[in-house]
Amino acid sequence: MVGGASGEEIRRFDWAATSLGPIDGWPVSLKTTMRLVLSSRQPMSFWWGPELLHFYNDAYVPMLGQRAGNALGRPFKEVWDDVWEMVLPFVRSALSGEATWMEDMPLTMMRNGYPEQTYFTFSYSPLYGDDGAVEGLLNIVTETTRAVADRAALHVAYELAQEHIRERARHERELKLLNEELAHRMKNTLAMTQSIVTQTLRSAESMSDAIATVTARIGALSKAQDILTGTPGTTASFEETVMAALLPHRDRDDRFVVSGGEIYLTAQQALGLSLAIHELATNATKYGALSLPDGRIEIGWSAGEDGSFSFNWVERGGPPVTAPVRRGFGSRLTERIVSVIFSGEGRMTFEPTGLIFRLVGRLDMSTDVPE
Protein backbone atom coordinates (compact mmCIF):
# COMPACT_ATOMS: atom_id res chain seq x y z
CA MET A 1 0.00 0.00 0.00
CA VAL A 2 1.28 3.49 -0.83
CA GLY A 3 1.58 6.27 1.71
CA GLY A 4 4.60 5.59 3.92
CA ALA A 5 4.11 5.02 7.64
CA SER A 6 0.51 6.26 7.58
CA GLY A 7 -0.26 3.82 4.72
CA GLU A 8 1.18 0.93 6.73
CA GLU A 9 -0.84 2.00 9.76
CA ILE A 10 -4.04 1.99 7.68
CA ARG A 11 -3.20 -1.45 6.26
CA ARG A 12 -2.66 -2.96 9.75
CA PHE A 13 -5.67 -1.26 11.36
CA ASP A 14 -8.63 -3.48 12.33
CA TRP A 15 -11.26 -1.85 10.14
CA ALA A 16 -13.57 -4.84 10.57
CA ALA A 17 -14.23 -3.55 14.10
CA THR A 18 -15.54 -0.24 12.69
CA SER A 19 -18.63 0.79 10.78
CA LEU A 20 -16.58 0.83 7.55
CA GLY A 21 -15.75 -2.88 7.65
CA PRO A 22 -12.71 -4.55 5.98
CA ILE A 23 -10.77 -2.60 3.34
CA ASP A 24 -11.74 -5.09 0.60
CA GLY A 25 -15.37 -4.03 0.95
CA TRP A 26 -14.76 -0.25 0.81
CA PRO A 27 -16.36 1.75 -1.98
CA VAL A 28 -14.18 2.93 -4.85
CA SER A 29 -14.63 6.57 -3.83
CA LEU A 30 -13.17 5.91 -0.36
CA LYS A 31 -10.18 4.00 -1.75
CA THR A 32 -9.57 6.73 -4.35
CA THR A 33 -9.68 9.48 -1.72
CA MET A 34 -7.35 7.50 0.54
CA ARG A 35 -4.78 7.01 -2.27
CA LEU A 36 -5.01 10.74 -3.13
CA VAL A 37 -4.35 11.79 0.47
CA LEU A 38 -1.56 9.26 1.11
CA SER A 39 0.31 10.22 -2.06
CA SER A 40 0.33 13.95 -1.21
CA ARG A 41 3.15 15.71 0.60
CA GLN A 42 0.73 18.45 1.70
CA PRO A 43 -0.68 17.83 5.19
CA MET A 44 -4.08 16.30 4.53
CA SER A 45 -6.68 14.33 6.42
CA PHE A 46 -10.25 13.27 5.80
CA TRP A 47 -13.20 11.90 7.67
CA TRP A 48 -15.55 9.31 6.22
CA GLY A 49 -18.86 7.68 7.08
CA PRO A 50 -21.62 8.47 9.57
CA GLU A 51 -19.14 8.64 12.44
CA LEU A 52 -16.62 10.70 10.41
CA LEU A 53 -13.75 8.24 11.01
CA HIS A 54 -10.30 9.77 10.75
CA PHE A 55 -7.69 9.23 7.98
CA TYR A 56 -4.45 11.22 7.41
CA ASN A 57 -1.10 11.16 5.62
CA ASP A 58 2.47 11.34 6.95
CA ALA A 59 2.66 15.12 6.49
CA TYR A 60 -0.33 15.53 8.83
CA VAL A 61 1.11 13.47 11.72
CA PRO A 62 3.13 16.31 13.39
CA MET A 63 -0.09 18.28 13.86
CA LEU A 64 -1.52 15.46 16.02
CA GLY A 65 1.10 15.88 18.74
CA GLN A 66 0.58 13.23 21.45
CA ARG A 67 -2.55 12.07 19.63
CA ALA A 68 -0.41 10.43 16.95
CA GLY A 69 -0.88 6.66 17.07
CA ASN A 70 -4.35 6.95 18.59
CA ALA A 71 -6.20 9.03 16.00
CA LEU A 72 -6.64 6.69 13.02
CA GLY A 73 -10.12 5.25 12.54
CA ARG A 74 -11.62 7.23 15.42
CA PRO A 75 -14.52 9.70 15.08
CA PHE A 76 -13.67 13.36 14.42
CA LYS A 77 -15.43 14.50 17.59
CA GLU A 78 -13.32 12.17 19.78
CA VAL A 79 -9.94 12.91 18.19
CA TRP A 80 -10.39 16.70 18.20
CA ASP A 81 -12.77 17.08 21.12
CA ASP A 82 -10.95 20.24 22.36
CA VAL A 83 -11.68 22.16 19.14
CA TRP A 84 -14.82 20.38 17.97
CA GLU A 85 -17.24 23.18 18.83
CA MET A 86 -15.07 25.75 17.03
CA VAL A 87 -14.80 23.80 13.77
CA LEU A 88 -18.32 22.31 13.83
CA PRO A 89 -19.81 25.08 11.62
CA PHE A 90 -17.21 24.30 8.92
CA VAL A 91 -17.88 20.57 9.24
CA ARG A 92 -21.61 21.11 8.75
CA SER A 93 -21.00 23.30 5.72
CA ALA A 94 -18.80 20.67 4.05
CA LEU A 95 -21.28 17.85 4.82
CA SER A 96 -24.02 19.95 3.24
CA GLY A 97 -21.96 20.18 0.03
CA GLU A 98 -20.44 23.64 0.56
CA ALA A 99 -16.65 23.98 0.73
CA THR A 100 -15.13 26.34 3.32
CA TRP A 101 -11.75 27.99 3.79
CA MET A 102 -10.16 29.75 6.78
CA GLU A 103 -6.87 31.60 7.14
CA ASP A 104 -4.88 31.68 10.41
CA MET A 105 -7.82 30.48 12.49
CA PRO A 106 -6.89 30.55 16.21
CA LEU A 107 -7.50 27.26 18.03
CA THR A 108 -6.57 26.41 21.62
CA MET A 109 -5.52 22.76 21.63
CA MET A 110 -4.55 20.15 24.22
CA ARG A 111 -2.70 17.95 21.70
CA ASN A 112 0.47 17.88 23.85
CA GLY A 113 -1.14 17.73 27.28
CA TYR A 114 -1.35 21.47 27.93
CA PRO A 115 -3.33 24.41 26.50
CA GLU A 116 -1.57 25.56 23.36
CA GLN A 117 -2.52 28.55 21.21
CA THR A 118 -2.29 27.43 17.60
CA TYR A 119 -3.23 28.84 14.19
CA PHE A 120 -4.29 26.97 11.08
CA THR A 121 -5.10 27.80 7.48
CA PHE A 122 -7.36 25.06 6.13
CA SER A 123 -10.18 24.11 3.82
CA TYR A 124 -12.99 21.62 4.39
CA SER A 125 -14.41 20.17 1.17
CA PRO A 126 -17.23 17.64 0.72
CA LEU A 127 -16.30 14.05 -0.30
CA TYR A 128 -18.79 12.16 -2.45
CA GLY A 129 -19.48 8.43 -2.37
CA ASP A 130 -20.04 6.12 -5.33
CA ASP A 131 -23.72 7.09 -5.44
CA GLY A 132 -22.99 10.84 -5.51
CA ALA A 133 -24.04 11.52 -1.89
CA VAL A 134 -21.75 13.34 0.54
CA GLU A 135 -19.97 10.69 2.61
CA GLY A 136 -17.32 12.74 4.34
CA LEU A 137 -15.07 15.80 4.19
CA LEU A 138 -11.51 16.49 3.08
CA ASN A 139 -9.20 18.68 5.16
CA ILE A 140 -6.24 20.32 3.39
CA VAL A 141 -4.36 22.13 6.11
CA THR A 142 -1.24 24.13 6.97
CA GLU A 143 -0.35 24.96 10.56
CA THR A 144 0.59 28.65 10.67
CA THR A 145 1.30 28.95 14.41
CA ARG A 146 4.96 29.79 13.89
CA ALA A 147 4.23 32.11 10.97
CA VAL A 148 1.65 34.02 13.03
CA ALA A 149 4.11 34.28 15.94
CA ASP A 150 6.85 35.43 13.57
CA ARG A 151 4.56 38.08 12.06
CA ALA A 152 3.57 39.25 15.54
CA ALA A 153 7.23 39.43 16.57
CA LEU A 154 8.05 41.25 13.34
CA HIS A 155 5.22 43.70 14.00
CA VAL A 156 6.50 44.33 17.54
CA ALA A 157 10.03 44.78 16.21
CA TYR A 158 8.73 47.16 13.56
CA GLU A 159 6.82 49.21 16.13
CA LEU A 160 9.89 49.31 18.39
CA ALA A 161 12.00 50.42 15.45
CA GLN A 162 9.46 53.11 14.56
CA GLU A 163 9.38 54.29 18.18
CA HIS A 164 13.18 54.36 18.20
CA ILE A 165 13.12 56.47 15.03
CA ARG A 166 10.52 58.80 16.54
CA GLU A 167 12.50 59.00 19.79
CA ARG A 168 15.68 59.74 17.88
CA ALA A 169 13.90 62.45 15.91
CA ARG A 170 12.62 63.95 19.19
CA HIS A 171 16.14 63.86 20.64
CA GLU A 172 17.53 65.51 17.52
CA ARG A 173 14.89 68.25 17.73
CA GLU A 174 15.65 68.77 21.43
CA LEU A 175 19.38 68.83 20.71
CA LYS A 176 18.84 71.41 18.00
CA LEU A 177 16.76 73.55 20.36
CA LEU A 178 19.39 73.21 23.09
CA ASN A 179 22.15 74.19 20.67
CA GLU A 180 20.14 77.18 19.53
CA GLU A 181 19.47 78.15 23.15
CA LEU A 182 23.15 77.72 24.02
CA ALA A 183 24.19 79.90 21.09
CA HIS A 184 21.59 82.49 22.10
CA ARG A 185 22.77 82.47 25.72
CA MET A 186 26.39 82.76 24.68
CA LYS A 187 25.67 85.76 22.43
CA ASN A 188 23.68 87.48 25.18
CA THR A 189 26.33 86.73 27.81
CA LEU A 190 29.16 87.92 25.59
CA ALA A 191 27.26 91.08 24.70
CA MET A 192 26.49 91.74 28.36
CA THR A 193 30.09 91.00 29.37
CA GLN A 194 31.43 93.34 26.69
CA SER A 195 29.08 96.09 27.85
CA ILE A 196 30.07 95.57 31.50
CA VAL A 197 33.77 95.77 30.73
CA THR A 198 33.45 98.78 28.41
CA GLN A 199 31.17 100.79 30.69
CA THR A 200 33.14 99.95 33.85
CA LEU A 201 36.45 101.00 32.32
CA ARG A 202 34.87 104.21 31.06
CA SER A 203 33.53 105.23 34.49
CA ALA A 204 36.26 103.83 36.77
CA GLU A 205 38.51 106.25 38.63
CA SER A 206 41.50 103.86 38.56
CA MET A 207 42.57 100.63 36.91
CA SER A 208 42.50 98.75 40.21
CA ASP A 209 38.91 99.91 40.83
CA ALA A 210 37.98 98.86 37.29
CA ILE A 211 39.49 95.41 37.72
CA ALA A 212 37.72 94.85 41.05
CA THR A 213 34.37 96.04 39.70
CA VAL A 214 34.61 94.03 36.47
CA THR A 215 35.60 90.93 38.43
CA ALA A 216 32.65 91.31 40.81
CA ARG A 217 30.15 91.93 38.02
CA ILE A 218 31.35 89.01 35.90
CA GLY A 219 31.24 86.88 39.06
CA ALA A 220 27.55 87.76 39.39
CA LEU A 221 27.04 86.70 35.78
CA SER A 222 28.86 83.44 36.49
CA LYS A 223 26.57 82.60 39.42
CA ALA A 224 23.53 83.21 37.24
CA GLN A 225 25.00 80.96 34.56
CA ASP A 226 25.50 78.23 37.16
CA ILE A 227 21.78 78.37 37.93
CA LEU A 228 20.85 78.20 34.25
CA THR A 229 23.24 75.32 33.60
CA GLY A 230 21.75 73.25 36.41
CA THR A 231 18.13 73.95 35.45
CA PRO A 232 16.21 71.68 33.02
CA GLY A 233 14.81 73.43 29.98
CA THR A 234 15.44 77.10 29.24
CA THR A 235 14.28 78.81 32.45
CA ALA A 236 15.58 79.74 35.88
CA SER A 237 13.69 80.12 39.13
CA PHE A 238 13.19 83.74 40.24
CA GLU A 239 13.78 82.84 43.89
CA GLU A 240 16.89 80.77 43.14
CA THR A 241 18.32 83.61 41.05
CA VAL A 242 17.70 86.12 43.87
CA MET A 243 19.13 83.89 46.60
CA ALA A 244 22.28 83.12 44.57
CA ALA A 245 22.91 86.81 43.92
CA LEU A 246 22.46 87.65 47.65
CA LEU A 247 24.68 84.85 48.96
CA PRO A 248 28.01 86.81 48.98
CA HIS A 249 26.35 89.62 50.97
CA ARG A 250 24.52 87.51 53.59
CA ASP A 251 26.45 87.93 56.85
CA ARG A 252 23.56 86.81 59.06
CA ASP A 253 20.13 85.22 58.66
CA ASP A 254 18.02 88.35 59.24
CA ARG A 255 19.85 90.62 56.78
CA PHE A 256 17.37 89.87 54.01
CA VAL A 257 13.60 89.34 54.24
CA VAL A 258 12.68 87.56 51.02
CA SER A 259 9.16 86.72 49.86
CA GLY A 260 7.51 85.92 46.55
CA GLY A 261 5.69 83.27 44.55
CA GLU A 262 7.03 80.76 42.09
CA ILE A 263 8.13 82.54 38.92
CA TYR A 264 10.42 81.40 36.12
CA LEU A 265 12.65 83.64 34.03
CA THR A 266 14.26 83.36 30.64
CA ALA A 267 18.05 83.05 30.55
CA GLN A 268 18.48 86.72 29.63
CA GLN A 269 16.08 87.87 32.37
CA ALA A 270 17.91 85.74 34.95
CA LEU A 271 21.24 87.26 33.97
CA GLY A 272 19.80 90.78 34.10
CA LEU A 273 18.17 90.23 37.49
CA SER A 274 21.42 88.80 38.91
CA LEU A 275 23.37 91.85 37.78
CA ALA A 276 20.75 94.25 39.14
CA ILE A 277 20.76 92.56 42.57
CA HIS A 278 24.56 92.50 42.56
CA GLU A 279 24.67 96.25 41.94
CA LEU A 280 22.00 96.98 44.56
CA ALA A 281 23.72 94.78 47.17
CA THR A 282 27.13 96.27 46.40
CA ASN A 283 25.80 99.83 46.82
CA ALA A 284 23.99 98.78 50.02
CA THR A 285 27.27 97.41 51.38
CA LYS A 286 29.13 100.64 50.59
CA TYR A 287 26.53 103.29 51.35
CA GLY A 288 23.22 101.72 52.41
CA ALA A 289 21.56 99.28 54.77
CA LEU A 290 24.31 96.65 54.64
CA SER A 291 26.89 99.20 55.81
CA LEU A 292 25.42 99.25 59.34
CA PRO A 293 24.92 96.30 61.73
CA ASP A 294 21.17 96.87 62.15
CA GLY A 295 20.39 97.43 58.49
CA ARG A 296 18.23 94.99 56.55
CA ILE A 297 16.68 94.70 53.11
CA GLU A 298 13.17 93.58 52.21
CA ILE A 299 12.88 91.87 48.84
CA GLY A 300 9.59 90.80 47.32
CA TRP A 301 8.03 89.96 43.97
CA SER A 302 4.68 88.97 42.54
CA ALA A 303 3.23 88.04 39.15
CA GLY A 304 -0.14 88.31 37.44
CA GLU A 305 -1.83 85.70 35.26
CA ASP A 306 -1.27 87.95 32.23
CA GLY A 307 2.52 87.76 32.64
CA SER A 308 2.96 91.08 34.42
CA PHE A 309 5.17 91.13 37.49
CA SER A 310 6.77 93.47 40.01
CA PHE A 311 9.98 93.34 42.03
CA ASN A 312 10.75 95.50 45.10
CA TRP A 313 14.03 96.15 46.91
CA VAL A 314 13.52 98.20 50.11
CA GLU A 315 16.41 99.11 52.42
CA ARG A 316 15.80 99.88 56.10
CA GLY A 317 18.02 100.66 59.12
CA GLY A 318 20.91 102.12 57.13
CA PRO A 319 22.36 105.62 57.12
CA PRO A 320 20.31 108.47 55.59
CA VAL A 321 20.69 108.45 51.83
CA THR A 322 20.47 111.12 49.21
CA ALA A 323 20.36 110.93 45.46
CA PRO A 324 23.90 110.88 44.05
CA VAL A 325 25.05 113.76 41.92
CA ARG A 326 26.71 111.42 39.44
CA ARG A 327 25.01 108.27 38.19
CA GLY A 328 27.43 105.50 37.29
CA PHE A 329 27.09 102.50 35.00
CA GLY A 330 25.80 100.37 37.89
CA SER A 331 22.80 102.65 38.36
CA ARG A 332 22.13 102.78 34.62
CA LEU A 333 22.38 99.00 34.43
CA THR A 334 19.94 98.58 37.31
CA GLU A 335 17.38 101.05 36.04
CA ARG A 336 17.61 101.17 32.27
CA ILE A 337 19.20 98.00 30.97
CA VAL A 338 17.27 95.65 33.26
CA SER A 339 14.08 97.54 32.44
CA VAL A 340 14.62 96.79 28.75
CA ILE A 341 15.29 93.12 29.47
CA PHE A 342 11.98 92.87 31.33
CA SER A 343 10.08 95.10 28.87
CA GLY A 344 9.12 97.38 31.74
CA GLU A 345 10.38 100.15 33.98
CA GLY A 346 12.87 100.22 36.87
CA ARG A 347 13.20 103.17 39.20
CA MET A 348 15.42 103.97 42.20
CA THR A 349 14.02 106.21 44.93
CA PHE A 350 16.35 107.66 47.55
CA GLU A 351 14.14 107.93 50.65
CA PRO A 352 15.49 109.13 54.02
CA THR A 353 14.88 105.65 55.41
CA GLY A 354 16.86 103.99 52.66
CA LEU A 355 17.03 103.26 48.94
CA ILE A 356 14.00 101.73 47.25
CA PHE A 357 14.16 100.05 43.84
CA ARG A 358 10.97 99.03 42.06
CA LEU A 359 10.85 97.11 38.82
CA VAL A 360 7.65 96.38 36.92
CA GLY A 361 7.67 94.44 33.69
CA ARG A 362 6.53 91.33 31.90
CA LEU A 363 7.52 87.69 32.02
CA ASP A 364 7.91 85.54 28.91
CA MET A 365 4.83 83.29 29.15
CA SER A 366 6.23 80.93 26.50
CA THR A 367 9.13 79.77 28.64
CA ASP A 368 9.33 76.06 29.46
CA VAL A 369 8.63 75.59 33.17
CA PRO A 370 10.48 72.57 34.65
CA GLU A 371 8.22 69.75 35.82
Side-chain angles (χ1 to χ4, degrees):
M1 181 173 289
V2 298
S6 297
E8 287 296 319
E9 187 180 7
I10 291 173
R11 184 180 63 80
R12 294 193 306 267
F13 193 82
D14 182 14
W15 294 104
T18 71
S19 59
L20 295 181
I23 293 177
D24 292 344
W26 287 0
V28 174
S29 53
L30 173 55
K31 293 180 180 179
T32 302
T33 301
M34 182 177 62
R35 290 190 180 95
L36 171 68
V37 170
L38 291 175
S39 63
S40 176
R41 298 180 64 180
Q42 166 70 34
M44 297 174 69
S45 69
F46 70 94
W47 295 273
W48 191 276
E51 298 175 282
L52 295 179
L53 300 183
H54 200 195
F55 295 81
Y56 47 84
N57 61 11
D58 284 354
Y60 184 87
V61 171
M63 299 181 187
L64 291 168
Q66 293 179 356
R67 292 173 174 139
N70 191 36
L72 183 67
R74 292 181 59 200
F76 192 152
K77 186 175 181 179
E78 292 181 10
V79 176
W80 294 108
D81 60 321
D82 48 351
V83 298
W84 173 250
E85 293 299 328
M86 288 177 280
V87 301
L88 183 57
F90 305 104
V91 173
R92 287 172 175 166
S93 294
L95 293 178
S96 68
E98 181 180 353
T100 61
W101 182 82
M102 278 295 295
E103 183 176 11
D104 296 333
M105 180 174 178
L107 294 170
T108 303
M109 292 184 172
M110 295 290 294
R111 60 181 174 178
N112 290 305
Y114 57 86
E116 180 183 357
Q117 182 62 60
T118 64
Y119 295 86
F120 289 87
T121 294
F122 63 90
S123 66
Y124 284 177
S125 303
L127 293 174
Y128 297 92
D130 292 353
D131 60 358
V134 176
E135 294 292 341
L137 58 103
L138 174 67
N139 176 27
I140 300 176
V141 60
T142 299
E143 181 169 358
T144 58
T145 302
R146 178 169 294 181
V148 170
D150 288 345
R151 287 199 299 271
L154 183 61
H155 178 73
V156 171
Y158 173 79
E159 288 299 322
L160 289 174
Q162 290 298 307
E163 179 58 29
H164 176 73
I165 292 172
R166 290 190 291 268
E167 188 69 19
R168 181 174 178 178
R170 284 195 293 270
H171 287 165
E172 288 177 350
R173 289 195 298 270
E174 290 174 359
L175 181 60
K176 181 180 178 181
L177 289 174
L178 287 174
N179 286 334
E180 291 175 353
E181 174 63 21
L182 178 60
H184 181 68
R185 286 187 184 182
M186 288 180 65
K187 288 178 182 178
N188 285 342
T189 303
L190 289 173
M192 196 169 291
T193 303
Q194 183 180 25
S195 177
I196 287 172
V197 173
T198 301
Q199 296 290 343
T200 302
L201 291 174
R202 184 179 300 164
S203 59
E205 296 180 357
S206 67
M207 184 56 67
S208 59
D209 289 343
I211 292 173
T213 304
V214 167
T215 301
R217 286 170 175 169
I218 292 180
L221 277 179
S222 176
K223 290 184 177 64
Q225 287 288 4
D226 288 342
I227 296 172
L228 292 168
T229 303
T231 302
T234 59
T235 61
S237 164
F238 199 108
E239 181 176 4
E240 190 176 2
T241 302
V242 170
M243 299 306 288
L246 293 177
L247 186 61
H249 308 279
R250 186 185 293 275
D251 56 356
R252 64 174 190 267
D253 292 341
D254 62 347
R255 270 296 196 186
F256 301 97
V257 180
V258 180
S259 63
E262 187 176 36
I263 298 177
Y264 288 90
L265 304 172
T266 65
Q268 188 176 18
Q269 288 175 338
L271 293 175
L273 181 65
S274 292
L275 281 173
I277 293 176
H278 167 74
E279 294 299 328
L280 290 168
T282 299
N283 286 336
T285 300
K286 292 179 178 180
Y287 316 111
L290 299 183
S291 66
L292 295 181
D294 295 332
R296 72 179 191 278
I297 300 173
E298 298 174 2
I299 302 170
W301 62 87
S302 62
E305 294 183 359
D306 61 350
S308 62
F309 91 104
S310 63
F311 170 79
N312 295 318
W313 171 286
V314 180
E315 298 186 20
R316 301 185 187 281
V321 296
T322 57
V325 176
R326 177 176 173 270
R327 305 294 293 273
F329 170 65
S331 297
R332 294 199 303 274
L333 184 152
T334 305
E335 287 187 316
R336 300 175 189 175
I337 298 177
V338 175
S339 298
V340 172
I341 292 175
F342 282 93
S343 301
E345 181 182 5
R347 184 180 297 276
M348 287 185 182
T349 304
F350 296 88
E351 302 290 342
T353 54
L355 181 141
I356 297 175
F357 173 69
R358 301 188 189 277
L359 172 65
V360 293
R362 300 195 63 81
L363 302 171
D364 187 346
M365 302 298 286
S366 65
T367 52
D368 297 327
V369 178
E371 295 182 358

